[in-house]
């Protein structure tokens, strides 16, 4: 029996060591053990999905209204347009850090929040949906900022009014194509942000599993020494 207990303790020791080496740099300590943080993830995953659905709805309106539906048919025009595209490369890194990823998500939301003014001008009949979308984006950014502050992470406070210049277009057609790509880029951004939030949720689960293994390991070591 003592040999079996020692064998189990050794196995747990291996389990405790192996996965966490692959996740070197992950914020397991700062993001674990907090039910409020888990609730934040659940709510804002749903919030991100809702925003994505509204952006997709506007994309369908652009398709139906202007017959602009396929990116590959518009790439030549796209090269000449000054269309915002926010990147989330910090959310893809193996050494994932919540602070840099969350900061990039907030910065991207700010960029697209301003760019949606172009969509409002392009689709005046859907101005209410655009304004609701902008409000949801501001709330999502605020939620992330509040969670970062709760975790003791550095944050940037943006002014209420976006002072960044809006993109300009030399023709009505280019305005339409620009609107198409703003929405297409924003959809990809939201998909990446959604995966990033789910990624953090995975670290939360792993952190809880790690604590379970640590407790079991200590219990087995104690039994082995009796």
């Amino acid at each position: 029996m003592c040999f079996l207990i020692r064998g189990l303790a050794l196995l747990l020791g291996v389990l405790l060591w192996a996965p966490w080496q692959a996740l070197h740099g992950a914020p397991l300590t700062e993001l674990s053990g907090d039910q409020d943080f888990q609730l934040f993830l659940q709510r804002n995953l749903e919030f991100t999905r809702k925003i994505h659905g509204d952006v997709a709805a506007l994309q369908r309106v652009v398709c139906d209204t202007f017959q602009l539906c396929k990116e590959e048919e518009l790439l030549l025009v796209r090269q000449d347009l000054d269309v915002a595209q926010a990147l989330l490369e910090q959310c893809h890194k193996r050494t994932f850090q919540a602070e840099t990823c969350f900061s990039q998500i907030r910065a991207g939301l700010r960029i697209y929040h301003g760019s949606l003014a172009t969509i409002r001008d392009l689709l005046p009949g859907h101005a209410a949906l655009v304004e609701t979308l902008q409000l949801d984006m501001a709330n999502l950014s605020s939620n992330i900022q509040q969670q970062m502050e709760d975790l003791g992470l550095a944050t940037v406070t943006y002014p209420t009014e976006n002072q960044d210049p809006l993109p300009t277009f030399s023709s009505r057609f280019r305005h339409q194509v620009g609107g198409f790509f703003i929405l297409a880029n924003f959809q990809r951004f939201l998909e990446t942000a959604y995966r990033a939030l789910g990624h953090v949720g995975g670290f939360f689960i792993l952190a809880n599993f790690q604590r379970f293994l640590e407790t079991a390991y200590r219990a087995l070591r104690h039994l082995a020494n009796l």
Side-chain angles (χ1 to χ4, degrees), residues 63 67-75 180-181:
C63 176
Q67 287 71 55
L68 301 176
C69 306
K70 297 182 179 179
E71 281 195 52
E72 58 270 22
E73 297 176 355
L74 302 168
L75 291 179
F180 172 89
F181 277 105

Side-chain angles (χ1 to χ4, degrees), residues 165-211:
L166 295 177
T168 57
F169 305 100
S170 59
S171 69
R172 180 68 175 170
F173 175 68
R174 289 175 179 270
H175 187 178
Q176 294 166 1
V177 175
F180 172 89
F181 277 105
I182 287 171
L183 293 172
N185 291 343
F186 190 22
Q187 284 191 79
R188 282 190 287 270
F189 171 86
L190 289 167
E191 289 161 4
T192 302
Y194 184 87
R195 288 194 297 271
L197 289 172
H199 190 54
V200 176
F203 282 134
F204 184 91
I205 293 171
L206 286 173
N208 288 334
F209 184 50
Q210 183 183 25
R211 284 198 300 275

Side-chain angles (χ1 to χ4, degrees), residues 24-216:
H24 177 70
L28 293 177
T29 302
E30 66 187 18
L31 300 182
S32 62
D34 188 342
Q35 294 304 312
D36 289 340
F37 181 73
Q38 191 172 29
L39 184 60
F40 157 80
L41 287 176
Q42 292 172 349
R43 287 178 175 174
N44 288 285
L45 280 169
E46 294 174 4
F47 208 0
T48 303
R49 191 161 49 239
K50 175 188 180 299
I51 293 172
H52 184 276
D54 288 342
V55 175
L58 287 172
Q59 187 85 68
R60 289 191 294 271
V61 173
V62 169
C63 176
D64 294 341
T65 305
F66 308 117
Q67 287 71 55
L68 301 176
C69 306
K70 297 182 179 179
E71 281 195 52
E72 58 270 22
E73 297 176 355
L74 302 168
L75 291 179
L76 287 177
V77 182
R78 167 69 178 86
Q79 294 175 5
D80 298 326
L81 300 178
D82 180 22
V83 175
Q85 185 170 7
L87 302 178
L88 289 176
E89 71 274 5
Q90 294 297 330
C91 297
H92 293 294
K93 288 189 173 181
R94 180 183 179 88
T95 54
F96 176 89
Q97 294 292 337
E99 181 175 335
T100 52
C101 179
F102 282 176
S103 294
Q104 278 205 323
I105 292 175
R106 293 190 63 232
L109 287 170
R110 174 178 168 78
I111 289 172
Y112 288 115
H113 186 282
S115 296
L116 283 180
T118 297
I119 307 302
R120 188 176 59 243
D121 295 341
L122 189 63
L123 302 171
H126 297 271
L129 176 56
V130 174
E131 290 169 2
T132 297
L133 185 54
Q134 288 178 310
L135 179 61
D136 287 344
M137 294 163 63
N139 287 336
L140 176 58
S141 180
S142 179
N143 291 349
I144 294 173
Q145 179 182 6
Q146 182 61 57
Q147 188 60 47
M148 291 177 71
E149 291 173 354
D150 291 346
L151 292 170
L153 305 178
T155 63
V156 175
T157 301
Y158 295 113
T160 304
E161 296 296 328
N162 193 335
Q163 303 298 320
D164 297 333
L166 295 177
T168 57
F169 305 100
S170 59
S171 69
R172 180 68 175 170
F173 175 68
R174 289 175 179 270
H175 187 178
Q176 294 166 1
V177 175
F180 172 89
F181 277 105
I182 287 171
L183 293 172
N185 291 343
F186 190 22
Q187 284 191 79
R188 282 190 287 270
F189 171 86
L190 289 167
E191 289 161 4
T192 302
Y194 184 87
R195 288 194 297 271
L197 289 172
H199 190 54
V200 176
F203 282 134
F204 184 91
I205 293 171
L206 286 173
N208 288 334
F209 184 50
Q210 183 183 25
R211 284 198 300 275
F212 166 78
L213 290 176
E214 289 170 349
T215 301

